[in-house]
Amino acid sequence: FDFLEKPLSLDRVITIAKNAVALEQLKRENRMLRNRLVNHDQIIGTSAATQKVRSLIDQSAKGDSRIMVFGENGTGKELVAQEIHRNSARAAGPFIEVNCAAIPDTLIESELFGHEKGAFTSAISRRRGKLEMANGGTLFLDEIADMSPSAQAKVLRAIQEMRFERVGGEESISVDVRIIAATNKDIHAEIAAGRFREDLYFRLAVIWIEVPPLRDRPDDIPALADYFLGKFQLDSQGARRRFDAESYRALQAHDWPGNVRELKNFTERISIMADDEVLTREVVEFFLGERSAVQVDSVLQEFGGMRLNEARDVFEQRYLEQKLKDHGFNISQTASDLGIYPSNIHAKIKKFGIKIEK
């Protein structure tokens, strides 16, 4: 950044330090302004369900209370969190997202709190954590129900005190952060099964926002389809395409298990692959039929909207329940059949909250 000549001048040291702080602040503001210039998706629709979500966003944005957002995969939970941030007094601050399902349990502490140089083998330099990066802004904890119990305990302590230490460090760091969390799971079922801490839930769910699936708000589908079609054609050199009235009805009749994300992907595909400027019902049904024409085993269809770890847990629980029933809930026989130790069976019974019939 700069250099100092010996003998050191206190005034020179102070001036350089001030300049360094000012430059870092300018870099931070520049990054935030660039982020704002990104073409963010919007909450589209005029249905009663969407209007209710908008109302909750406007109300909750006024304060600093913690929020939990619930909804199926693809409904737009992250978009809700972004809208709350953009409409809040923290809009000038950072919006930092953490996908809790994507971070291994061994790395979650370093990811959230940062680490000091030499804290572990690969820590070749000091690194700020997501919580520290979100100071003055909003931290979005996506898929928080996928966190391990040990990680949940660390998060609970941090959000209670808004104070933490980097991994390998001794300095206590205080932050001013608003927490928004999201999950696609039935949180009360997760608590009952012992997979999610009830005290963490009560800390996070001061305000509760549920994002409805697309099948429950079909009136929004035409507006969403037009929005995505226009967005994908902005950079296209081809003809401007549009849906006709009958094609909207075909879109509304579809169940959209992947919700808005599936509709967005479908609209992008049809904007590229369709030959006609007017997208008729026949064209829409043809492209929708491409997906349904793919021969997918009926057993796998129900897992289509799930993440891998969620689908694995659902399958493992059902498979284990069936095996236990087959063996009259005899743990030793079930373990022998599955080729695992009885202790593993007991651990999975506890994990999934399986009731043993006597």
Side-chain angles (χ1 to χ4, degrees):
F1 174 75
D2 209 332
F3 65 94
L4 290 168
E5 296 178 350
K6 293 182 179 180
L8 296 178
S9 163
L10 182 58
D11 290 339
R12 176 70 174 155
V13 171
I14 293 172
T15 299
I16 290 176
K18 286 182 177 178
N19 290 341
V21 171
L23 180 61
E24 182 59 33
Q25 182 65 27
L26 284 172
K27 287 180 179 179
R28 183 181 178 186
E29 290 177 3
N30 182 263
R31 285 194 295 269
M32 286 189 290
L33 288 171
R34 285 176 181 236
N35 287 337
R36 287 186 202 172
L37 290 175
V38 175
N39 186 20
H40 293 287
D41 282 335
Q42 303 171 25
I43 296 178
I44 303 294
T46 56
S47 68
T50 300
Q51 296 287 24
K52 181 180 178 181
V53 171
R54 278 206 189 94
S55 176
L56 289 170
I57 289 172
D58 291 340
Q59 289 177 296
S60 58
K62 298 173 184 177
D64 258 349
S65 300
R66 300 184 188 101
I67 300 169
M68 281 200 81
V69 185
F70 301 88
E72 296 177 6
N73 282 329
T75 51
K77 297 185 291 295
E78 181 182 358
L79 186 56
V80 169
Q82 290 172 347
E83 283 292 304
I84 293 170
H85 173 74
R86 283 198 288 267
N87 289 296
S88 73
R90 296 176 177 269
F95 178 86
I96 305 296
E97 178 188 357
V98 179
N99 187 335
C100 303
I103 304 171
D105 188 38
T106 53
L107 298 179
I108 190 70
E109 191 172 4
S110 173
E111 187 73 16
L112 286 174
F113 310 132
H115 60 252
E116 297 289 348
K117 181 179 180 180
F120 45 86
T121 305
S122 59
I124 58 175
S125 62
R126 172 188 282 184
R127 181 176 181 274
R128 292 194 307 157
K130 300 292 189 182
L131 198 57
E132 189 175 352
M133 292 168 63
N135 190 31
T138 303
L139 180 66
F140 177 51
L141 299 174
D142 196 12
E143 306 300 351
I144 193 167
D146 289 310
M147 266 189 179
S148 68
S150 60
Q152 291 174 32
K154 294 167 185 174
V155 169
L156 175 64
R157 176 178 173 271
I159 65 175
Q160 278 178 328
E161 303 172 3
M162 280 296 155
R163 184 186 300 271
F164 60 92
E165 297 82 37
R166 296 191 189 101
V167 177
E170 297 179 353
E171 178 188 1
S172 184
I173 301 169
S174 297
V175 290
D176 173 25
V177 175
R178 184 180 199 177
I179 305 291
I180 302 177
T183 181
N184 63 352
K185 294 185 176 180
D186 181 341
I187 200 68
H188 296 296
E190 294 297 303
I191 292 170
R195 293 189 290 268
F196 195 79
R197 294 179 63 112
E198 189 174 37
D199 49 359
L200 179 56
Y201 165 73
F202 287 129
R203 282 282 174 182
L204 292 172
V206 178
I207 297 174
W208 172 304
I209 298 178
E210 183 141 13
V211 186
L214 191 55
R215 63 181 173 274
D216 289 349
R217 48 190 183 105
D219 291 347
D220 291 340
I221 290 176
L224 281 163
D226 284 343
Y227 169 75
F228 289 132
L229 190 63
K231 182 177 180 181
F232 293 130
Q233 292 184 134
L234 281 176
D235 300 323
S236 173
Q237 302 300 316
R240 303 291 92 180
R241 294 185 173 85
R242 62 182 178 84
F243 294 102
D244 69 10
E246 285 299 315
S247 65
Y248 288 137
R249 294 187 182 94
L251 291 172
Q252 289 174 309
H254 190 64
D255 58 355
W256 302 109
N259 292 294
V260 179
R261 185 182 297 137
E262 183 186 358
L263 175 60
K264 181 178 180 180
N265 292 342
F266 168 80
T267 309
E268 182 175 11
R269 183 169 70 254
I270 202 172
S271 71
I272 296 169
M273 303 302 294
D275 296 323
D276 303 319
E277 289 186 30
V278 179
L279 303 173
T280 64
R281 184 185 188 101
E282 290 72 22
V283 172
V284 166
E285 289 178 342
F286 172 79
F287 282 95
L288 286 175
E290 281 190 330
R291 183 181 70 86
S292 59
V294 177
Q295 296 300 311
V296 180
D297 190 292
S298 60
V299 176
L300 299 179
Q301 285 181 345
E302 64 177 297
F303 299 106
M306 298 182 186
R307 294 176 180 271
L308 176 60
N309 57 344
E310 183 184 0
R312 184 175 58 240
D313 284 349
V314 171
F315 172 78
E316 190 174 2
Q317 179 179 349
R318 293 180 184 175
Y319 183 70
L320 181 56
E321 286 173 340
Q322 186 58 51
K323 286 294 183 181
L324 285 165
K325 289 177 182 177
D326 291 345
H327 293 283
F329 293 91
N330 185 298
I331 303 297
S332 297
Q333 291 179 11
T334 304
S336 177
D337 185 16
L338 296 177
I340 59 178
Y341 292 108
S343 58
N344 289 342
I345 297 286
H346 285 292
K348 292 182 186 298
I349 288 172
K350 183 178 180 181
K351 175 183 177 181
F352 296 124
I354 297 173
K355 294 182 179 179
I356 300 298
E357 298 178 12
K358 301 295 183 182

